[in-house]
Amino acid sequence: MTRILGIESSCDETAAAVVADGREILSSVVASQIDIHRKYGGVVPELASREHLRQIVPVVREALAQAAMKLSDVDAIGVTQGPGLVGALLVGITYGKTLAAALRKPLVSVNHLAGHVHAVFLEAFKAGRVAKLPAVCLIVSGGHTVLYEVTAGDSAGQDLGGLLRYRKIGQTRDDAAGEAYDKVAKMLGLGYPGGPILDRLAAVSSGAPAPVKFGPTKTRGNLLDFSFSGLKTAVLYHVREHPEYAGEIQTREAALQRGERKFEQLLPLCSPQTLALVREFQNAVVRDLVERTMLAAKELAVESVLVSGGVAANSQLRATFEERANNMGIDVFFPSRALSTDNAAMIAAAAFERFRAGVFADSSLDADPSLVLG
Ligand code: KG4
Ligand code: ZN
């Protein structure tokens, strides 16, 4: 059994995990910085690096303790090289390099996006399912909205020791979908991060008709590219042009100031019109993500669709994907909510694949904020 310690620090989560043979999670610890970045309505890079520095040692220690292991029991260290915030990445990389050198264990660098793909495989394994390749993978988070074709490499196959092949087939031209959620929540006085609260508000049946309609987004050129900034701006203009929203937004901002940011606390402060607006926004995001992903699935005649990243936790997105994929006879896979958002189990799982293929990093490993996958 190969036990890999994974370390993730690319954005605002400091995470460590131990995964056996790339599939069995022995421990997974995530220290989220949401409380630190909340008042700025987004991740502040300098604060993120500082917080990673504070958290990295206790988080790794906790991951080992939960796996009932000592550092010397670890077979290799897997660490996120990029993409992400350079200062944040450097904390994990420096710590990973130091551990690997001190323990004389191999160091494996991991692309964060490959980690998100592996989160799906981890979940499938837990459920006793196999995500067959070729697949289309949508990675959709606060930082990314990108579509990959995932195929087995030459000698490969997910279980045969080869490296997976990734080909980028579409991406957002502007905002990531999670970023659109966060910005719309901010303008509506619904706090940060925006995804979870908007997800729940959109599911409340308000009885009100949509106060505005958002049509499908058109992107010139590649039909598999996304765009969310137009939608965000459309919400902004709609809210600006309709003064009736102003009062309730102020009321909610005051509630947030008092620390009342739970769904149960904010729901009574939302008019039926606001609930209908949130639903229309979510309909537009979900439609766009599902349509383009399923178009790719059809064109490439894949066996499965994989959906990963923070926004993959969205209930309407999940339900819509299930329904569409079912109709097309394609299997769809999501990680659990805990594995959808940033974590280190997915990094350890992705590291195992490279470890097995003999792809190692050395002490010259450096952070690459815009590391490309595929
Ligand atoms: O993957 P993640 O933890 O971090 C990165 O951005 O890499 O994703 C966080 C993003 C945030 O933008 C958050 O608003 C969004 O995922 N999110 C959701 C939901 N839960 C989290 N978006 C829609 N629906 C959700 N249930
Ligand atoms: Zn991520």
Side-chain angles (χ1 to χ4, degrees):
M1 192 165 68
T2 305
R3 292 182 290 186
I4 296 189
L5 170 68
I7 298 176
E8 154 64 34
S9 68
S10 66
C11 189
D12 61 341
E13 265 97 23
T14 318
V18 181
V19 174
D21 290 341
R23 41 173 56 176
E24 194 191 337
I25 302 172
L26 303 183
S27 68
S28 181
V29 178
V30 179
S32 167
Q33 304 178 0
I34 284 181
D35 288 336
I36 288 163
H37 301 288
R38 176 172 284 123
K39 61 173 172 289
Y40 306 99
V43 178
V44 183
E46 288 78 3
L47 295 183
S49 316
R50 203 170 67 189
E51 198 55 22
H52 284 306
L53 271 175
R54 281 160 46 106
Q55 296 288 354
I56 190 94
V57 175
V59 164
V60 168
R61 200 173 283 154
E62 179 65 21
L64 289 168
Q66 282 186 16
M69 283 167 62
K70 300 187 296 294
L71 262 179
S72 54
D73 298 331
V74 165
D75 294 302
I77 318 274
V79 63
T80 306
Q81 184 187 8
L85 303 168
V86 67
L89 288 163
L90 275 171
V91 175
I93 290 176
T94 308
Y95 192 57
K97 279 204 284 202
T98 311
L99 279 182
L103 299 168
R104 297 176 192 277
K105 297 285 161 93
L107 179 68
V108 181
S109 66
V110 172
N111 185 307
H112 180 81
L113 297 169
H116 277 299
V117 176
H118 279 269
V120 184
F121 296 138
L122 276 174
E123 188 71 33
F125 177 74
K126 269 208 256 178
R129 296 172 73 199
V130 177
K132 288 202 202 108
L133 301 178
V136 161
C137 183
L138 170 69
I139 299 173
V140 60
S141 72
H144 308 279
T145 300
V146 53
L147 263 180
Y148 285 96
E149 180 188 33
V150 184
T151 47
D154 291 337
S155 61
Q158 204 183 315
D159 285 325
L160 299 175
L163 284 169
L164 297 179
R165 272 219 207 102
Y166 304 96
R167 183 168 69 92
K168 194 195 279 180
I169 52 176
Q171 64 187 320
T172 182
R173 301 212 177 143
D174 38 61
D175 293 353
E179 197 178 349
Y181 267 96
D182 294 339
K183 287 178 176 165
V184 165
K186 189 174 183 184
M187 64 179 97
L188 291 175
L190 288 166
Y192 173 84
I197 182 92
L198 293 183
D199 185 0
R200 295 193 66 186
L201 292 174
V204 177
S205 128
S206 70
V212 56
K213 285 279 184 193
F214 303 125
T217 313
K218 293 190 184 66
T219 40
R220 279 170 195 270
N222 186 359
L223 285 176
L224 302 179
D225 276 350
F226 302 92
S227 168
F228 294 102
S229 87
L231 176 62
K232 167 199 70 189
T233 310
V235 176
L236 178 68
Y237 286 174
H238 172 77
V239 171
R240 271 201 199 145
E241 283 159 13
H242 294 263
E244 66 270 26
Y245 290 106
E248 54 173 310
I249 291 174
Q250 266 179 11
T251 308
R252 289 192 294 267
E253 281 170 347
L256 291 173
Q257 286 290 324
R258 296 192 298 272
E260 296 164 15
R261 62 181 103 87
K262 291 206 185 96
F263 168 75
E264 294 75 15
Q265 293 167 317
L266 292 170
L267 175 62
L269 308 179
C270 293
S271 65
Q273 185 175 337
T274 292
L275 293 175
L277 173 64
V278 168
R279 166 137 14 95
E280 181 62 16
F281 164 75
Q282 177 155 294
N283 284 343
V285 176
V286 168
R287 178 180 57 217
D288 213 56
L289 292 173
V290 174
E291 287 307 322
R292 289 178 211 272
T293 306
M294 296 317 288
L295 176 65
K298 199 168 151 196
E299 275 182 358
L300 298 170
V302 296
E303 298 269 350
S304 4
V305 167
L306 322 176
V307 189
S308 192
V311 183
N314 187 272
S315 27
Q316 190 180 335
L317 185 73
R318 286 177 174 245
T320 313
F321 262 122
E322 299 273 6
E323 191 188 314
R324 284 294 303 278
N326 208 4
N327 290 343
M328 285 171 65
I330 296 177
D331 286 333
V332 58
F333 293 84
F334 301 91
S336 63
R337 273 159 216 262
L339 283 172
S340 292
T341 49
D342 288 349
N343 65 85
M346 68 184 195
I347 301 304
F352 177 67
E353 191 201 352
R354 288 165 73 83
F355 175 90
R356 207 168 39 166
V359 185
F360 299 112
D362 58 31
S363 59
S364 67
L365 179 67
D366 202 359
D368 185 345
S370 41
L371 185 63
V372 171
L373 179 63

